[in-house]
Amino acid sequence: MSGRGANSRRRPMLKVIILGDSGVGKTSLMNQYVNRKFTNQYKATIGADFLTKDVEIDGKNVTTQIWDTAGQERFQSLGVAFYRGADCCVLVFDVNNSKSFDQLDSWRDEFLLQASPRDPDNFPFVVLGNKVDLEESRRQVSQKRALAWCQQKGKIPYFETSAKEAINVDMAFQTMAKNALDQEADVEL
Ligand code: G3D
Ligand code: MG
């Protein structure tokens, strides 16, 4: 189709966007996944629209391009470029903040509205319940409740994560990339 010859065979690129209320740990999760770091300093310096990380999934080399917000999520005004062409959407809430969990519905709706994916019912979402490193007594959203939501929305994978302690972060992003890749394969056939 492109006529650029065999050398132009690019490694597949997956565009991943991270959504969720301000403060739930989106930037920290991305930083942990891409740079294996948990720092506060990082937040102030991220001016880029996205970060990339090369990964291997099922023996295939894939570039994941992770789009994080720069704080505009407070106004739910992320712009078209942010959503355009997304292959996967990571919805994040804080397990210690039930309001951030209640907002998942509206983040999902907003995504489906703005990105208008071809097959909304089978679009690869992943849900992350973050900050599980904090004291159990602070928890406001049980695993059971989160799983029920994910099930109801169409078998969305759910992971309990900590960007701070690097719990489940790699696992979550690997699963997400794999599901997005499987979805791509379906479309190309
Ligand atoms: P956001 O990008 O969704 O707005 P940030 O969220 O990544 O900026 O994180 C918001 C605050 O939560 C930051 O603290 C950050 O350090 C903290 N945080 C993020 N992930 C975790 C986690 O897994 N565990 C714990 N304990 N804290 C986390 P500050 O104090 O800078 O506001
Ligand atoms: Mg952020």
Coordinates of all heavy atoms in Angstrom, one line a residue, residues 21-29 38 40 43 68 73 130-134 161-165, ligand 1:
D21 N -9.1 10.5 37.0 CA -9.1 11.8 37.8 C -7.7 12.3 38.1 O -6.7 11.5 38.2 CB -9.9 11.6 39.1 CG -11.4 11.8 38.9 OD1 -11.8 11.9 37.7 OD2 -12.1 11.9 39.8
S22 N -7.6 13.5 38.3 CA -6.3 14.1 38.7 C -5.9 13.6 40.1 O -6.7 13.4 41.0 CB -6.5 15.6 38.8 OG -5.4 16.3 39.2
G23 N -4.6 13.2 40.2 CA -4.1 12.7 41.5 C -4.2 11.2 41.7 O -3.6 10.7 42.7
V24 N -4.7 10.5 40.8 CA -4.8 9.0 41.0 C -3.5 8.3 40.8 O -3.3 7.1 41.2 CB -6.0 8.4 40.1 CG1 -7.3 8.9 40.5 CG2 -5.7 8.6 38.6
G25 N -2.6 8.9 40.1 CA -1.3 8.3 39.8 C -1.0 8.0 38.4 O -0.1 7.2 38.1
K26 N -1.6 8.6 37.4 CA -1.4 8.3 36.0 C 0.0 8.6 35.6 O 0.7 7.7 35.0 CB -2.4 9.2 35.1 CG -3.8 8.9 35.4 CD -4.7 9.7 34.5 CE -4.6 11.3 34.7 NZ -4.9 11.7 36.0
T27 N 0.5 9.8 35.9 CA 1.9 10.1 35.5 C 2.9 9.2 36.2 O 3.9 8.8 35.6 CB 2.1 11.6 35.8 OG1 1.1 12.4 35.1 CG2 3.5 12.0 35.4
S28 N 2.6 8.9 37.5 CA 3.5 8.1 38.2 C 3.6 6.6 37.6 O 4.6 6.0 37.6 CB 3.1 8.0 39.7 OG 3.1 9.3 40.3
L29 N 2.4 6.1 37.2 CA 2.4 4.8 36.6 C 3.1 4.8 35.3 O 3.9 3.8 35.0 CB 0.9 4.4 36.4 CG 0.1 4.0 37.6 CD1 -1.4 4.0 37.4 CD2 0.5 2.6 38.1
F38 N 10.0 6.2 40.5 CA 8.9 6.8 41.1 C 9.5 8.1 41.7 O 10.2 8.1 42.7 CB 8.3 5.9 42.2 CG 7.1 6.6 42.9 CD1 5.9 6.7 42.3 CD2 7.3 7.1 44.2 CE1 4.8 7.2 43.0 CE2 6.2 7.7 44.9 CZ 5.0 7.8 44.2
N40 N 8.8 12.5 42.3 CA 7.9 13.7 42.2 C 8.4 14.7 41.2 O 7.7 15.4 40.6 CB 7.7 14.3 43.6 CG 6.9 13.4 44.5 OD1 5.9 12.8 44.0 ND2 7.2 13.4 45.7
K43 N 7.2 14.8 37.4 CA 5.9 15.5 37.0 C 6.1 16.8 36.5 O 5.5 17.2 35.5 CB 5.0 15.5 38.3 CG 4.2 14.3 38.5 CD 3.2 14.6 39.6 CE 3.9 15.0 40.9 NZ 3.0 15.2 42.0
D68 N 0.0 10.7 28.2 CA -0.4 11.1 29.5 C -1.0 12.5 29.4 O -0.6 13.3 28.5 CB 0.8 11.1 30.5 CG 0.4 11.4 31.9 OD1 -0.7 11.2 32.3 OD2 1.3 12.0 32.6
E73 N -6.9 17.1 32.6 CA -8.0 16.2 32.9 C -9.0 16.8 33.9 O -10.2 16.4 34.0 CB -7.5 14.8 33.4 CG -6.9 14.8 34.8 CD -5.4 15.1 34.8 OE1 -4.9 15.8 33.9 OE2 -4.7 14.5 35.7
N130 N -5.0 2.0 41.6 CA -3.7 2.3 42.0 C -3.6 2.6 43.5 O -4.6 2.8 44.2 CB -3.2 3.5 41.2 CG -1.7 3.7 41.3 OD1 -0.9 2.8 41.3 ND2 -1.3 5.0 41.3
K131 N -2.3 2.7 44.0 CA -2.0 3.1 45.4 C -2.4 2.0 46.4 O -2.8 2.3 47.5 CB -2.6 4.4 45.8 CG -2.2 5.6 44.8 CD -2.5 6.9 45.5 CE -2.4 8.1 44.4 NZ -2.6 9.4 45.0
V132 N -2.2 0.7 46.0 CA -2.5 -0.4 46.9 C -1.4 -0.5 48.0 O -1.5 -1.3 48.9 CB -2.7 -1.7 46.2 CG1 -3.9 -1.7 45.3 CG2 -1.5 -2.1 45.3
D133 N -0.3 0.3 47.9 CA 0.7 0.2 48.9 C 0.3 0.9 50.2 O 0.9 0.7 51.2 CB 2.0 0.9 48.3 CG 1.8 2.3 47.9 OD1 1.2 2.5 46.8 OD2 2.1 3.2 48.7
L134 N -0.7 1.8 50.1 CA -1.1 2.5 51.3 C -1.9 1.5 52.3 O -2.3 0.5 51.9 CB -2.0 3.7 50.9 CG -1.3 4.8 50.1 CD1 -2.3 5.8 49.7 CD2 -0.2 5.4 50.9
T161 N -2.6 -1.9 41.4 CA -1.2 -1.5 41.2 C -0.7 -0.5 42.3 O -1.4 0.1 43.0 CB -1.1 -0.7 39.8 OG1 -1.9 0.4 39.9 CG2 -1.5 -1.6 38.7
S162 N 0.6 -0.4 42.3 CA 1.3 0.7 43.0 C 2.4 1.2 42.1 O 3.4 0.4 41.8 CB 1.8 0.2 44.3 OG 2.8 1.1 44.9
A163 N 2.3 2.4 41.7 CA 3.4 3.1 41.0 C 4.6 3.3 41.9 O 5.7 3.2 41.5 CB 2.9 4.4 40.4
K164 N 4.3 3.4 43.2 CA 5.3 3.7 44.2 C 6.2 2.5 44.4 O 7.4 2.5 44.4 CB 4.7 4.2 45.5 CG 5.7 4.6 46.5 CD 5.1 5.2 47.7 CE 6.1 5.6 48.7 NZ 5.5 6.0 50.0
E165 N 5.5 1.3 44.6 CA 6.2 0.1 44.9 C 6.4 -0.8 43.7 O 6.9 -2.0 43.8 CB 5.5 -0.7 46.0 CG 5.2 0.1 47.3 CD 6.4 0.4 48.1 OE1 7.4 -0.4 48.0 OE2 6.4 1.4 48.9
Ligands
G3D1 P1 -1.9 12.1 38.2 O1 -0.9 12.1 37.1 O2 -3.0 11.1 37.9 O3 -2.5 13.4 38.5 P2 0.3 11.7 39.9 O4 -1.2 11.6 39.5 O5 1.1 10.6 39.2 O6 0.8 13.1 39.7 O7 0.3 11.3 41.4 C1 -0.5 12.1 42.3 C2 0.1 11.9 43.7 O8 -0.1 10.5 44.1 C3 1.6 12.2 43.9 O9 1.8 12.6 45.2 C4 2.2 10.8 43.7 O10 3.5 10.7 44.3 C5 1.2 9.9 44.4 N1 1.2 8.5 43.9 C6 1.1 8.1 42.7 N2 1.1 6.8 42.6 C7 1.2 6.3 43.9 C8 1.2 5.0 44.4 O11 1.1 4.0 43.8 N3 1.3 5.0 45.8 C9 1.3 6.1 46.6 N4 1.4 5.9 47.9 N5 1.3 7.3 46.1 C10 1.2 7.4 44.7 P3 2.0 14.1 45.6 O12 2.2 14.1 47.1 O13 3.2 14.6 44.8 O14 0.7 14.8 45.2

